[in-house]
Amino acid sequence: MKPYCFAKNGIIDSSKALVHPMDISVIRGYGIFDFFRTSNHVPLFLSDYLDRFIRSAEKTYLNLKYSKSELADIILELIEKNDLKNGGIRMLLTGGVSENHFSPSEGGLYIFCEDLLFPSQEKYDKGVKLVSADHVRSIADIKTTNYAFPVWLSATWKDSGAEDVIYHHNGFISESSRSNIFVIKDGQISTPDQHILHGITRMRVLELAPQTSIRPISFEELLAADELFITSTTKKILPITLIDDQKIGTGQVGPLTKKLMADFVEMEKKHI
């Protein structure tokens, strides 16, 4: 965490940021957040992330007192004060302290700047493993702070050498705990359409590959894929070469995945 943050009404020393212990974000896990990166002091795809954060506040009935332009100004000031050349920015809107300790109330806005570590180059070169879990994330189209299930599960998947999980239910996949997933079979790219967060990196990949089919994808299709990859702010495009104990395709990073990884790097450069 960097020295300066925004807490409720202004920029302060990050060590002095406080959340009331009876805030329903603490006692009920009810709040929203978003996270994006800077590159050479530029917040990447900032407009898209702010749009999603504002939508999430509206959908969760949380009072966000700042406009999109005001949020952008705060973020740019924080980047400057923290000299955040290449890092992460985390936005949090809490549920507030309510009279019945349950209903959304007047929450607080917090914005922190952080260091950011990507997966190792070896993981991009060789791909990573996901483990499957029968689960559908609650109100999946909103980036809530409720990550109880994957946090609890993380000890298990780490013991198996996995990078993350892939959620499935009733025979169909949805997403990873913090990423969207894409399936490639016979040159055709597909991605799930239900029970997902509409990720900003996912959106950019759809721009790079507009022929992608957005549709229900079965767990069997996942296992039979030629190539798989996940997308997120902190992973960019990360190849998947193993699901549970089953090798995907040849077990190596495929050509279409490699091309999209390179194309995404070039896309980012245009936004810096």
Short mmCIF file of all heavy atoms in Angstrom, two decimals, residues 118-127 238 261:
data_model
loop_
_atom_site.label_atom_id
_atom_site.label_comp_id
_atom_site.label_asym_id
_atom_site.label_seq_id
_atom_site.Cartn_x
_atom_site.Cartn_y
_atom_site.Cartn_z
N PHE A 118 2.61 -9.34 -11.40
CA PHE A 118 1.95 -10.23 -12.35
C PHE A 118 2.44 -11.66 -12.12
O PHE A 118 3.45 -11.89 -11.46
CB PHE A 118 2.26 -9.80 -13.79
CG PHE A 118 1.64 -8.51 -14.19
CD1 PHE A 118 2.41 -7.36 -14.34
CD2 PHE A 118 0.28 -8.43 -14.41
CE1 PHE A 118 1.83 -6.16 -14.70
CE2 PHE A 118 -0.32 -7.23 -14.78
CZ PHE A 118 0.46 -6.10 -14.92
N PRO A 119 1.72 -12.64 -12.67
CA PRO A 119 2.26 -14.01 -12.65
C PRO A 119 3.64 -14.06 -13.29
O PRO A 119 4.00 -13.20 -14.11
CB PRO A 119 1.23 -14.79 -13.47
CG PRO A 119 -0.03 -14.01 -13.34
CD PRO A 119 0.39 -12.58 -13.29
N SER A 120 4.42 -15.05 -12.92
CA SER A 120 5.78 -15.17 -13.46
C SER A 120 5.74 -15.40 -14.96
O SER A 120 4.74 -15.89 -15.52
CB SER A 120 6.49 -16.34 -12.79
OG SER A 120 5.89 -17.57 -13.16
N GLN A 121 6.84 -15.06 -15.63
CA GLN A 121 6.92 -15.27 -17.07
C GLN A 121 6.76 -16.75 -17.42
O GLN A 121 6.19 -17.10 -18.47
CB GLN A 121 8.24 -14.75 -17.61
CG GLN A 121 8.35 -14.78 -19.14
CD GLN A 121 7.25 -13.99 -19.82
OE1 GLN A 121 6.97 -12.85 -19.45
NE2 GLN A 121 6.60 -14.59 -20.82
N GLU A 122 7.22 -17.62 -16.54
CA GLU A 122 7.09 -19.06 -16.78
C GLU A 122 5.61 -19.47 -16.92
O GLU A 122 5.28 -20.33 -17.74
CB GLU A 122 7.73 -19.84 -15.63
CG GLU A 122 7.66 -21.35 -15.83
CD GLU A 122 8.29 -22.12 -14.68
OE1 GLU A 122 8.49 -21.52 -13.61
OE2 GLU A 122 8.56 -23.32 -14.85
N LYS A 123 4.74 -18.84 -16.15
CA LYS A 123 3.32 -19.17 -16.23
C LYS A 123 2.73 -18.73 -17.57
O LYS A 123 1.87 -19.42 -18.12
CB LYS A 123 2.56 -18.54 -15.06
CG LYS A 123 2.91 -19.15 -13.72
CD LYS A 123 2.12 -18.52 -12.58
CE LYS A 123 2.45 -19.19 -11.26
NZ LYS A 123 1.70 -18.61 -10.13
N TYR A 124 3.19 -17.60 -18.08
CA TYR A 124 2.72 -17.16 -19.40
C TYR A 124 3.28 -18.06 -20.51
O TYR A 124 2.63 -18.30 -21.52
CB TYR A 124 3.13 -15.71 -19.66
CG TYR A 124 2.35 -14.71 -18.84
CD1 TYR A 124 2.90 -14.11 -17.72
CD2 TYR A 124 1.04 -14.38 -19.18
CE1 TYR A 124 2.18 -13.20 -16.96
CE2 TYR A 124 0.31 -13.47 -18.44
CZ TYR A 124 0.88 -12.88 -17.33
OH TYR A 124 0.16 -11.97 -16.57
N ASP A 125 4.49 -18.57 -20.30
CA ASP A 125 5.13 -19.41 -21.31
C ASP A 125 4.58 -20.84 -21.33
O ASP A 125 4.43 -21.44 -22.40
CB ASP A 125 6.64 -19.47 -21.06
CG ASP A 125 7.33 -18.13 -21.29
OD1 ASP A 125 6.74 -17.28 -22.00
OD2 ASP A 125 8.43 -17.94 -20.76
N LYS A 126 4.26 -21.37 -20.15
CA LYS A 126 3.88 -22.78 -20.04
C LYS A 126 2.41 -22.99 -19.71
O LYS A 126 1.90 -24.10 -19.84
CB LYS A 126 4.75 -23.47 -18.99
CG LYS A 126 6.23 -23.52 -19.35
CD LYS A 126 7.01 -24.29 -18.30
CE LYS A 126 8.48 -24.40 -18.68
NZ LYS A 126 9.27 -25.16 -17.67
N GLY A 127 1.72 -21.94 -19.27
CA GLY A 127 0.35 -22.09 -18.86
C GLY A 127 0.24 -22.53 -17.40
O GLY A 127 1.23 -22.92 -16.78
N LEU A 238 -3.83 -15.03 -19.54
CA LEU A 238 -3.00 -16.08 -18.95
C LEU A 238 -3.46 -17.45 -19.47
O LEU A 238 -4.62 -17.83 -19.28
CB LEU A 238 -3.11 -16.03 -17.43
CG LEU A 238 -2.25 -17.03 -16.64
CD1 LEU A 238 -0.76 -16.76 -16.89
CD2 LEU A 238 -2.55 -16.95 -15.15
N MET A 261 -2.28 -12.67 -26.82
CA MET A 261 -1.39 -12.10 -25.80
C MET A 261 -0.55 -10.97 -26.39
O MET A 261 -0.42 -9.89 -25.79
CB MET A 261 -0.50 -13.19 -25.21
CG MET A 261 -1.25 -14.22 -24.37
SD MET A 261 -0.27 -15.71 -24.01
CE MET A 261 0.95 -15.04 -22.87
#
